[in-house]
Amino acid sequence: MSFATRGFSGRRREADTRLPPGQTLVQDWPVLSAGPTPQVDTADWELTLQDETGADHRWSWDELLALGVEDITVDIHCVTHWTRLDMAWRGVSLDKLFEDVESEHEFVMAHSYGGYTSNLPLEDLLDGKAWIATEADGAPLTPEHGGPARLLVPHLYFWKSAKWIRGLTMMPDNDAGFWEQYGYHLYGDPWKEERYW
Amino acid sequence: MTDHLDGNVLAGALSEVFTTDVTAARARCGGCGRMSAIAEAMVYTSAPGLVARCAGCDQVLATIVDAGDRLILSLAGLSAIELRR
């Protein structure tokens, strides 16, 4: 008898250890939005990476995909207390975008179509920790979920994974983005419950 | 699908801050200069906080973040609010 109960509680324990403090498991994918949903066609979409030299690095939709799209399976933690485990994504690693970028600056502001922003340390975007995501749950990202492309930084609260991404700007200081100005934490580590200022 | 509500949904949270019902007050958008009642703002509630935007130009007028034992209010997008005595 003890075998059966141990197996059950073992699965429970595994789920619990993957759930940051204050989070609740969900199976669906809630839509959160701080404004109107931009409708951006991939034919018009462009991603710009700006460094302090003034040189812009630009990718069209096809140029982005040509860098190499990879499969990503990660847990997602939203600051509004929901967590989804083992979510399947596809996207381009930010390591590929930053390959030819020389910068002394240690911080990045993510800019979105529609005006949303979020700030991140550069080191949190490199070494396989962040992507420009184009697909989730086996389908292209819909506009409600940030399509055609959103930033994906799964080790931080999900507001950092800016929807409708259109640009990354290198910054000398860790200036606050949209929610970071209005009360949310400058970094946002879900395991330390860094929700608010 | 309507993705936002009108400014009346701010009444509860703002009553923690102001002594009068501010949703009836007129305010000026710091972006386009439009004068309108707070109740006419477009408020996005399915978000990590309440986000009130100008019905004329979409600029963020006000945000309210419920931080548990704290309420964090920004009125940075408004240039002025008219409070009647």
Side-chain angles (χ1 to χ4, degrees):
Chain A
M1 291 299 285
S2 62
F3 272 179
T5 53
R6 193 165 63 208
F8 181 72
S9 63
R11 280 195 298 277
R12 267 188 69 95
R13 239 187 343 263
E14 187 198 344
D16 288 348
T17 58
R18 291 172 61 185
L19 209 53
Q23 296 294 106
T24 303
L25 268 184
V26 296
Q27 305 300 326
D28 60 343
W29 189 6
V31 173
L32 277 75
S33 197
T37 299
Q39 305 286 332
V40 184
D41 196 283
T42 53
D44 305 319
W45 184 89
E46 186 179 60
L47 182 72
T48 307
L49 201 165
Q50 288 181 308
D51 60 31
E52 65 269 34
T53 67
D56 280 359
H57 306 258
R58 292 173 183 275
W59 295 269
S60 67
W61 185 256
D62 290 339
E63 288 166 345
L64 176 83
L65 299 184
L67 295 175
V69 180
E70 55 189 80
D71 291 304
I72 309 134
T73 303
V74 288
D75 301 342
I76 298 297
H77 311 296
C78 178
V79 75
T80 61
H81 298 277
W82 60 261
T83 284
R84 263 192 73 180
L85 298 179
D86 297 321
M87 194 167 174
W89 298 80
R90 282 174 60 75
V92 176
S93 170
L94 260 64
D95 291 316
K96 299 221 168 122
L97 300 181
F98 279 95
E99 226 162 50
D100 300 323
V101 176
E102 297 281 339
S103 178
E104 297 293 315
H105 292 171
E106 295 178 3
F107 301 97
V108 177
M109 187 69 83
H111 295 271
S112 300
Y113 289 96
Y116 183 80
T117 55
S118 190
N119 58 289
L120 300 118
L122 176 60
E123 64 178 14
D124 286 83
L125 298 180
L126 302 178
D127 301 323
K129 294 197 289 286
W131 296 265
I132 301 295
T134 56
E135 297 179 37
D137 291 336
L141 276 177
T142 59
E144 291 74 26
H145 286 301
R150 73 182 296 162
L151 191 60
L152 176 63
V153 192
H155 68 285
L156 300 177
Y157 279 126
F158 205 37
W159 90 77
K160 293 287 186 181
S161 295
K163 296 186 192 183
W164 315 298
I165 189 79
R166 69 167 176 81
L168 300 165
T169 304
M170 306 296 303
M171 305 188 289
D173 303 308
N174 199 11
D175 297 338
F178 183 89
W179 281 119
E180 296 85 357
Q181 285 182 60
Y182 295 139
Y184 282 90
H185 199 275
L186 212 52
Y187 184 64
D189 182 344
W191 295 97
K192 296 179 180 168
E193 267 205 282
E194 293 175 340
R195 296 180 194 276
Y196 312 109
W197 295 342
Chain B
M1 187 184 78
T2 304
D3 57 358
H4 63 271
L5 303 172
D6 70 39
N8 287 301
V9 299
L10 301 173
L14 290 177
S15 71
E16 293 186 40
V17 183
F18 295 94
T19 54
T20 57
D21 178 11
V22 180
T23 58
R26 292 196 309 159
R28 186 180 292 280
C29 171
C32 69
R34 175 188 166 114
M35 280 287 284
S36 59
I38 298 284
E40 292 175 30
M42 302 182 297
V43 182
Y44 292 81
T45 57
S46 297
L50 297 173
V51 180
R53 291 178 179 267
C54 174
C57 73
D58 268 350
Q59 158 150 317
V60 176
L61 300 174
T63 59
I64 301 172
V65 170
D66 180 349
D69 59 349
R70 294 168 293 151
L71 181 148
I72 304 173
L73 169 68
S74 168
L75 300 174
L78 293 169
S79 54
I81 305 176
E82 173 191 62
L83 299 169
R84 291 186 180 275
R85 295 193 178 95

